[in-house]
Amino acid sequence: MRIDVLTVLPGLFDCFLKEGVIGKAISSGKVEVKVHNIRDFTTDKHRVVDDVPYGGGPGMVLKPEPIFRAYDELTKEGEKPYVLLTEPWGEKFNQEMAVELSKKPRLMIICGRYEGVDERVKSLVDREVSIGDYVLTGGELPAMVIMDAVLRLIPGVLGNLESLRADSFSDRGLLGYPNYTRPAEFRGMKVPEVLLSGHHKKIESWRKEQSLRKTLERRPEIIENLKRKGLLTKEELE
Ligand SMILES: CN1CCC[C@H](Cn2ccc3ccc(-c4n[nH]c(N)c4C#N)cc32)C1
């Protein structure tokens, strides 16, 4: 998969693209992520990317020209990307969308700043996406959240396939099961016996029960949704 990111703050991505699972996936060539400074696609001496909003009002708006120039330049060759725009009021990002996006061969993520992008930029966009009902200062952190959730699903990126297998829960939007590691007892708090038993079938069913119980308690609508879609097995429903 290739992802092109358009931003006026490319430096925000430096650590994200160097460290951890994502950093390894890029350095090993499993995925390709290119971050482009919108300012590099300006043509004036001062490399202006924003301007005051027509009709007045606070703040500045990202101009359309540099973003269109970047899009045209980056899509001259190869497969057309599926274009995302991060927006506070976009479609809510979730695991289902992450799975869908992970199947695209190429993505482009346009990151707004200031008061956002000129509305005409949206003629380039396939999906406006929000990571939650709160207002951030720009679209770069949402872009990193989306890339993290999508790239981890690319085959080979998560070293331990087991982690991805365990995702069969979170892939259905179920909440995760409790995790423990050594020591077996810490400050009087013991690891559940079943996890020390080495009985894999019992461990798996305990984890599934914990995941379902936690989801039912905290996000009952997820269970209802899975029931409606027929995505819960008979024993999971019991
Ligand atoms: C006062 N104004 C109001 C409009 C937005 C302005 C900041 N901003 C500019 C571009 C931009 C892109 C995304 C987000 C954002 N915020 N929250 C989310 N879940 C997002 C997502 N995805 C925020 C953004 C600040």
Side-chain angles (χ1 to χ4, degrees), residues 87-89 92 130-136 142 145:
E87 283 269 323
W89 38 78
K92 196 65 67 53
S130 167
I131 61 166
D133 295 332
Y134 39 81
V135 182
L136 302 169
V145 165

Side-chain angles (χ1 to χ4, degrees), residues 142-191:
M144 283 183 252
V145 165
I146 292 165
M147 285 196 278
D148 195 283
V150 168
L151 293 178
R152 64 183 292 277
L153 296 172
I154 304 289
V157 168
L158 274 190
N160 173 358
L161 266 180
E162 187 58 23
S163 319
L164 202 52
R165 194 197 59 74
D167 248 8
S168 66
F169 294 167
S170 57
D171 268 0
R172 289 186 289 170
L174 290 171
L175 304 187
Y177 49 75
N179 283 303
Y180 292 88
T181 187
R182 283 187 284 250
E185 180 168 346
F186 177 70
R187 296 192 182 186
M189 296 177 281
K190 291 183 180 174
V191 172

Side-chain angles (χ1 to χ4, degrees), residues 17-114:
L17 299 177
K18 279 199 199 99
E19 304 292 337
V21 167
I22 302 303
K24 285 195 183 71
I26 293 168
S27 56
S28 66
K30 288 195 181 69
V31 297
E32 193 184 6
V33 179
K34 293 180 179 298
V35 179
H36 309 275
N37 188 341
I38 295 171
R39 227 174 267 285
D40 293 341
F41 296 89
T42 58
T43 54
D44 62 298
K45 187 170 66 161
H46 299 293
R47 293 163 54 88
V48 174
V49 292
D50 59 326
D51 204 338
V52 295
Y54 274 121
M60 302 292 274
V61 174
L62 279 179
K63 292 168 63 60
E65 303 98 315
I67 295 172
F68 273 79
R69 263 187 228 109
Y71 177 85
D72 292 344
E73 179 62 30
L74 295 168
T75 57
K76 261 199 289 206
E77 283 137 30
E79 185 138 17
K80 288 281 183 244
Y82 188 80
V83 184
L84 306 179
L85 172 70
T86 49
E87 283 269 323
W89 38 78
E91 187 183 341
K92 196 65 67 53
F93 182 68
N94 59 21
Q95 189 67 19
E96 202 173 324
M97 196 190 299
V99 172
E100 183 195 334
L101 294 176
S102 71
K103 296 177 176 120
K104 306 282 184 192
R106 190 179 173 190
L107 298 177
M108 177 179 283
I109 308 180
I110 301 174
C111 305
R113 262 288 139 169
Y114 315 121

